[in-house]
Amino acid sequence: MKVHKFGGASVCDANAVRNMRDIIQSQGKSSLLVVISAMGKSTNALERILALKNADQDYKHVLTNFKKYHTSICERLFNSSERLIFQKLEQLFVDLDQSLNKQYDNTDKMYDQVISFGELISTTIVHAFLHQSGTACEHLDARDIIITDSTFREGKVRWNATEKAVNSRIDRDSSCHYLTQGFIGADQYGNTLTLGREGSDFTAAIFASCLDAESVTIWKDVPGILNADPDHWKQTVKYDNLSYGEAAEMTYYGASVIHPKTIRPLAVKKIPLLVKSFKDPSAEGTRIGDIRHDTLKPALIFKKNQCLISFQVRDFSFINESKLSIIFHLFEEFNIHVNMMQSSAISFSVCVDSPDKKMKSLINGLRSEFDIFYNDHLELITVKNYENELVSNIRKGKIVLLEQRTRKNYQMLITT
Ligand code: ASP
Ligand code: MG
């Protein structure tokens, strides 16, 4: 069985959905598991609705646009005589309204109940469209299958329960395809959970791992994995092949092509991951697998909205292991990821994504022990497999606050 994942851009309008259908139909007869994201930027729209609602501001216009966007895709895909899909869509909008107006004991829980509608709506539309196009496929609710703990907004997968559910719901020798939502699952109490933004890639990897799939294909609007984001860098090159290790490291440093959790389950089972362009489906793309590289073109990863925080000791003591362990204990407790760090005699500096509420609590927790300084609005640039000439070109004219070089990687934190 093969797994295919289609992201928001690949189902962003009626023509994109038709193109997606053509891709599925060109894959031959054997059964596929197809994972779909929310259409276009609708997850962002739902986040905006939620933010306005939680700030007691008027969100109706954003919600109306959200509904119009999906309705107009349906109008372009279906005849108005196809009542069922319009009824289903209407029902989903009613459910969304209810979700928005329920009382919740926790805002992260509310987030997951509301945000999941992006995927619930997109799969409902795509399923009906595939059906209309003569492609038999069973619509699975990922919440019956992807079982997580109750960490809202970042559900941790319960692998045993999930594997059991996958195997009881999916027949690998089935004559029809399966279609399901990316990004969402449920805990043991039946609450909807999300897996973290852009989590549909991870969903595809979870299914592939549980099914011992032959391969996973992620369809994107780029020709494969490039050595830099083309919005940031002019002369990008595509990697034809990448090892699991290289791909995982790229996601760690912030390359946004694939969700960081995607690689591991695939690498463990040696399931190849193909990243291909839905605009040019017959082109090669990038194959990520169990391979060794001799040399690899440098990869450039630009991570904006970074913040540099320095913890300085006050009492002429030094930054020693016990001080570091106090700091790291809190980073772990608040689940804050450190993107780069450096230690000196009296100060320890970390680069993290720009502070949110959690970071502010962490800083407050450490104020009694350290003087704390921070700079905001920074950019972290990582060059994997760097060449010195490239690094000095990138560095030219930049104000560098922190810089590090290892044998393979170069990183600098600059002002913007
Ligand atoms: N729709 C979700 C998001 O935009 C998940 C995904 O697209 O992978 O983050
Ligand atoms: Mg996406």
Side-chain angles (χ1 to χ4, degrees):
M1 196 169 208
K2 291 181 178 170
V3 175
H4 286 253
K5 181 257 168 174
F6 291 86
S10 62
V11 286
C12 68
D13 58 28
N15 279 338
V17 175
R18 289 190 189 100
N19 181 54
M20 180 248 157
R21 180 238 3 236
D22 295 345
I23 292 176
I24 301 242
Q25 291 185 338
S26 69
Q27 301 299 313
K29 284 240 161 1
S30 52
S31 176
L32 308 176
L33 185 284
V34 181
V35 174
I36 314 261
S37 294
M39 293 178 152
K41 303 261 178 240
S42 45
T43 304
N44 291 355
L46 287 166
E47 281 192 348
R48 176 98 190 104
I49 291 166
L50 210 50
L52 289 168
K53 158 115 186 133
N54 287 334
D56 273 333
Q57 289 178 22
D58 184 21
Y59 61 85
K60 292 281 175 339
H61 57 294
V62 192
L63 184 57
T64 305
N65 285 340
F66 175 88
K67 292 178 182 174
K68 269 194 197 147
Y69 167 68
H70 290 97
T71 310
S72 89
I73 291 180
C74 277
E75 283 163 352
R76 289 182 166 88
L77 291 175
F78 305 97
N79 288 326
S80 50
S81 58
E82 298 276 339
R83 290 260 172 74
L84 195 58
I85 179 60
F86 290 97
Q87 280 165 6
K88 281 188 178 167
L89 192 60
E90 221 25 72
Q91 184 58 49
L92 283 162
F93 293 154
V94 170
D95 296 346
L96 170 59
D97 279 326
Q98 268 172 9
S99 264
L100 272 165
N101 291 303
K102 242 166 99 177
Q103 294 297 322
Y104 295 90
D105 45 11
N106 155 346
T107 52
D108 288 345
K109 182 172 178 180
M110 177 178 190
Y111 177 97
D112 284 357
Q113 312 317 301
V114 171
I115 297 297
S116 48
F117 276 91
E119 271 70 14
L120 294 174
I121 293 171
S122 71
T123 46
T124 301
I125 297 174
V126 172
H127 174 253
F129 184 66
L130 288 176
H131 187 78
Q132 172 181 274
S133 307
T135 293
C137 92
E138 186 176 333
H139 188 184
L140 299 171
D141 189 327
R143 295 170 300 178
D144 295 333
I145 304 174
I146 305 288
I147 311 299
T148 67
D149 69 359
S150 302
T151 315
F152 293 105
R153 296 189 71 153
E154 215 184 316
K156 309 274 175 304
V157 177
R158 296 231 152 109
W159 282 93
N160 288 341
T162 300
E163 186 156 5
K164 234 165 118 188
V166 166
N167 287 309
S168 75
R169 294 291 181 127
I170 298 176
D171 170 10
R172 291 163 216 222
D173 304 316
S174 163
S175 57
C176 81
H177 300 323
Y178 295 90
L179 177 88
T180 194
Q181 306 83 18
F183 180 53
I184 68 172
D187 66 8
Q188 58 177 325
Y189 310 105
N191 296 305
T192 301
L193 266 290
T194 63
L195 305 176
R197 284 300 310 263
E198 304 298 331
S200 299
D201 297 343
F202 183 38
T203 303
I206 299 168
F207 274 103
S209 164
C210 295
L211 289 164
D212 287 309
E214 248 174 87
S215 64
V216 174
T217 307
I218 294 183
W219 295 94
K220 298 194 65 88
D221 55 0
V222 285
I225 300 206
L226 306 176
N227 71 329
D229 181 341
D231 290 340
H232 271 87
W233 196 250
K234 291 272 172 303
Q235 308 90 2
T236 51
V237 288
K238 175 178 79 73
Y239 296 112
D240 295 336
N241 293 289
L242 271 182
S243 66
Y244 291 118
E246 282 290 337
E249 272 186 57
M250 282 171 73
T251 67
Y252 175 89
Y253 290 116
S256 58
V257 272
I258 339 172
H259 187 278
K261 288 185 183 162
T262 311
I263 303 293
R264 188 167 181 275
L266 301 179
V268 169
K269 296 229 168 154
K270 297 200 176 5
I271 300 169
L273 171 61
L274 313 169
V275 179
K276 288 170 67 94
S277 165
F278 60 79
K279 294 174 176 165
D280 187 7
S282 59
E284 275 290 316
T286 299
R287 184 187 173 90
I288 299 167
D290 193 19
I291 55 161
R292 282 187 180 283
H293 301 285
D294 297 331
T295 50
L296 206 58
K297 278 255 179 231
L300 281 88
I301 301 141
F302 302 87
K303 212 166 164 23
K304 287 218 154 69
N305 295 324
Q306 298 296 295
C307 168
L308 176 65
I309 307 180
S310 300
F311 302 92
Q312 195 165 314
V313 286
R314 293 206 185 95
D315 51 2
F316 297 100
S317 63
F318 294 123
I319 290 282
N320 56 20
E321 290 68 19
S322 104
K323 291 273 191 306
L324 287 174
S325 91
I326 295 170
I327 296 172
F328 275 111
H329 182 77
L330 280 191
F331 272 94
E332 197 198 352
E333 191 178 316
F334 286 102
N335 194 14
I336 298 172
H337 179 65
V338 173
N339 297 328
M340 182 185 185
M341 60 185 139
Q342 213 166 69
S343 184
S344 71
I346 57 158
S347 131
F348 177 69
S349 299
V350 291
C351 164
V352 292
D353 292 351
S354 267
D356 56 9
K357 268 193 287 172
K358 291 190 300 188
M359 195 66 218
K360 293 196 175 122
S361 313
L362 178 139
I363 289 176
N364 286 335
L366 290 171
R367 268 199 207 290
S368 59
E369 195 90 24
F370 303 96
D371 285 331
I372 300 174
F373 305 90
Y374 78 80
N375 301 58
D376 220 343
H377 308 296
L378 306 178
E379 181 172 14
L380 178 63
I381 303 179
T382 304
V383 189
K384 277 181 62 48
N385 308 308
Y386 67 90
E387 291 155 2
N388 288 328
E389 197 188 325
L390 176 65
V391 163
S392 46
N393 278 341
I394 300 173
R395 209 183 178 292
K396 237 175 250 160
K398 307 268 181 359
I399 300 176
V400 179
L401 300 186
L402 208 62
E403 189 173 28
Q404 241 167 45
R405 244 174 241 259
T406 63
R407 253 161 292 185
K408 273 180 75 183
N409 298 334
Y410 169 83
Q411 287 191 295
M412 68 175 170
L413 187 62
I414 58 165
T415 57
T416 53

